[in-house]
Amino acid sequence: MRDTRESRLLLVLLIAIAFALITVDIRGGEASPVDGARQAAATVFGPVENGVASAVDPVGNAIGAVRASGARHDKIAALEKQNAELKAKLGSDDRNRSRVRQLDAMLKKSATGQYGIAAAEVIAIGAAQGFSWTVTIDAGSRDGVKRDMTVINGDGLVGRVTTVGPDTATVLLANDPDFTVGTRMESTDELGFATGQGSRPLSVQFLNGKAKVKKGDRLVTFGSSKDKPFVPGVPVGEVVRVDPSGGGLTRTVYVRPYVSFTKLDIVGIVVQAPREDPRDSVLPKKPKAPAKPKPTPTVTVTISPNGDIVDTEGNVVGNIHESPTPDPSGNATPNADNAVNEQR
């Protein structure tokens, strides 16, 4: 096409329309009027992304074997068996070993929390949902994935499903500024709401402005009505900073998430919630405090004018004028100096 006035006007018009659609989409949030078009795009382009990822990834088919079997709690044993088979199928290179560790950690988390999961791989980042923190995964409605399902990995809460196509889905990550999840503090059960802040720690507002919170306290998801969009008991993160309460009705703290959102690879979509709230059982075990060193007993001795060495109880344990005498075996008997050293 020649660079004519008409072509330039057409280009400007198309750019203006694109920015208008982006603005409408961002302001509309989940009720965006272009949501239908986005889902249609996921239907059309999802298989392309999925196919490209499968072509360059030898682990994809093996993870697919795990995906379909995670929908029922009574299939945990089958998951473990398939996980072992998956390890045998994978190669020995560093990346595959890393992915096996990720998959193994996620399956252990799901087994502990009794979450029925569908395993998936992250195949793209920054999906077509404005400028939010999102990823695209290679599992969709054909795998039982639906909108507003919780997404986890071996470390904890990853996010929630926002858009679903037949073979792919979009996940809004927990560090996105538009992401909010109800939380519960370990042990004290204080409730709050965690909000994403991009690359910074999550901001958590506790409902109780006088809640006792300290650095190192840990949080899990509180859970939602009918377990959507969040199931209970998923590890969220650890408190790294506590703001003074200031007498307000709420209290804000800052939490470092367990999940590294820039290194996502293997994730699990919770397609079936646990029968019972797992409470704090899914949290990682706390490291044991180092044992306190046992104090070394100190013995004080005194030397009398005649050279006797006397301990604190008044017992004579030797004499500084004594010289070592051989015992029947030929070894020398400790002299007074040795006795002093031993008592010390």
Side-chain angles (χ1 to χ4, degrees), residues 5 35 43 46 99 104 139 155 164 173 177 214 221 246 256 289 292:
R5 182 180 180 185
D35 187 60
T43 302
R99 304 186 81 194
D104 188 57
D155 297 317
V164 181
L173 302 181
K214 64 182 184 300
T221 55
R256 181 181 64 246
K292 293 182 179 179

Side-chain angles (χ1 to χ4, degrees), residues 306-319:
N306 63 357
D308 287 340
I309 302 169
V310 183
D311 63 16
T312 54
E313 297 180 356
N315 300 317
V316 177
V317 296
N319 188 287

Side-chain angles (χ1 to χ4, degrees), residues 28 33 90 140 304 310:
L90 295 179
S304 62
V310 183

Side-chain angles (χ1 to χ4, degrees), residues 269-341:
I269 307 93
V270 181
V271 295
Q272 185 168 352
R275 295 188 180 96
E276 296 180 358
D277 187 345
R279 303 292 295 175
D280 303 327
S281 63
V282 190
L283 281 167
K285 292 183 179 180
K286 287 186 176 180
K288 292 183 179 180
K292 293 182 179 179
K294 294 182 179 180
T296 302
T298 301
V299 178
T300 302
V301 296
T302 57
I303 301 176
S304 62
N306 63 357
D308 287 340
I309 302 169
V310 183
D311 63 16
T312 54
E313 297 180 356
N315 300 317
V316 177
V317 296
N319 188 287
I320 61 173
H321 302 301
E322 293 178 352
S323 58
T325 57
D327 61 17
S329 63
N331 297 322
T333 302
N335 61 15
D337 292 337
N338 291 337
V340 173
N341 292 334

Side-chain angles (χ1 to χ4, degrees), residues 193-315:
F193 292 95
T195 302
Q197 297 194 111
S199 57
R200 294 178 294 166
L202 306 177
S203 170
V204 180
Q205 277 200 327
F206 283 98
L207 302 183
N208 179 7
K210 298 181 180 180
K212 294 182 179 180
V213 190
K214 64 182 184 300
K215 185 177 179 180
D217 285 343
R218 307 188 296 177
L219 288 80
V220 299
T221 55
F222 177 65
S224 307
S225 175
K226 298 182 180 179
D227 300 309
K228 284 190 176 183
F230 302 109
V231 295
V234 179
V236 175
E238 185 175 298
V239 175
V240 292
R241 197 179 92 207
V242 181
D243 279 356
S245 59
L249 296 178
T250 61
R251 188 171 192 183
T252 302
V253 303
Y254 297 91
V255 172
R256 181 181 64 246
Y258 287 120
V259 171
S260 178
F261 299 104
T262 59
K263 298 179 181 180
L264 292 173
D265 191 0
I266 308 299
V267 298
I269 307 93
V270 181
V271 295
Q272 185 168 352
R275 295 188 180 96
E276 296 180 358
D277 187 345
R279 303 292 295 175
D280 303 327
S281 63
V282 190
L283 281 167
K285 292 183 179 180
K286 287 186 176 180
K288 292 183 179 180
K292 293 182 179 179
K294 294 182 179 180
T296 302
T298 301
V299 178
T300 302
V301 296
T302 57
I303 301 176
S304 62
N306 63 357
D308 287 340
I309 302 169
V310 183
D311 63 16
T312 54
E313 297 180 356
N315 300 317

Side-chain angles (χ1 to χ4, degrees), residues 12-99:
V12 171
L13 180 61
L14 290 174
I15 294 174
I17 293 174
F19 275 104
L21 289 174
I22 291 173
T23 303
V24 170
D25 187 23
I26 294 174
R27 291 183 176 179
E30 293 188 2
S32 171
V34 299
D35 187 60
R38 184 164 52 238
Q39 291 186 9
T43 302
V44 174
F45 296 107
V48 177
E49 289 180 321
N50 200 359
V52 171
S54 299
V56 299
D57 186 5
V59 186
N61 292 334
I63 291 180
V66 177
R67 178 180 304 153
S69 65
R72 299 293 174 186
H73 298 302
D74 55 3
K75 291 188 177 180
I76 296 298
L79 275 174
E80 293 175 347
K81 179 181 178 182
Q82 290 182 353
N83 184 30
E85 293 174 352
L86 174 63
K87 291 179 181 179
K89 291 179 182 178
L90 295 179
S92 59
D93 60 275
D94 291 341
R95 183 168 185 265
N96 281 343
R97 282 198 296 268
S98 172
R99 304 186 81 194

